[in-house]
Amino acid sequence: KLGALPKDLPQLMQVVDKALPYLDARIKEDYDKRDKKQAAVNSLNYYAVQYHYMRSFFPEKGIAGPIVPAANHYRKEIQKNWIHGNRMAKGMIALALFRTGDKLNAGNILRSLEQTAITSDELGMYWKDNTAAYYWQDAPIETQSLLIEAFHEIRGNDKITGALKLSLLRHKQTNHWTSTKSTADACYALLLRG
């Protein structure tokens, strides 16, 4: 995404060409195993969220015909149930929808996130309850980094993106980024632009 590696790097393409069909097959498997009798789902499938976020990085790689019903089903589900997700899921959904043309829902998600945030000149923009918990999707640095990516890509390099970056840097001043993954995500978010 940052252009650090060429998109057509042979080693990278080998991995992508094997990973995408594998992940497509897993989402179809999940779709085939779901309870078809259940009329409406009012919760969020985090695997589907990750799948659509991952797929949004590869728009040039089409989804094979047999996988399309599963992908469409879960896309509709995340469009409907994004409100039930945590902040990281909402950021992933906003990016996935925006990259695939659903700018309206992506904008609604960002507005919702903005309304629940705390903003200060000194600490930037953050969410008070964005603290570490048990699940991967509750990691605070990764969540803040993903939300920087979402606001930057969907809204541009505006005041909110700067406030989100400031909060991430302020966190680094008083604490530490707890893992190599959180450090890599934070660096990615800060290097997106500016």
Side-chain angles (χ1 to χ4, degrees), residues 55-73:
R55 264 311 200 154
S56 73
F57 283 96
F58 304 99
E60 72 283 356
K61 304 275 187 185
I63 297 174
I67 310 301
V68 170
N72 286 342
H73 169 81

Side-chain angles (χ1 to χ4, degrees), residues 8 16 30 39 55 62 64 68 81-82 89 92 99 137-138 150 163-165 167 188 190:
D8 59 349
V16 169
D30 189 60
R55 264 311 200 154
V68 170
N81 296 321
W82 65 264
M92 286 182 174
R99 291 172 181 166
Q137 67 263 25
D138 296 320
L164 289 166
K165 286 181 177 183
S167 177
Y188 169 73
L190 293 170

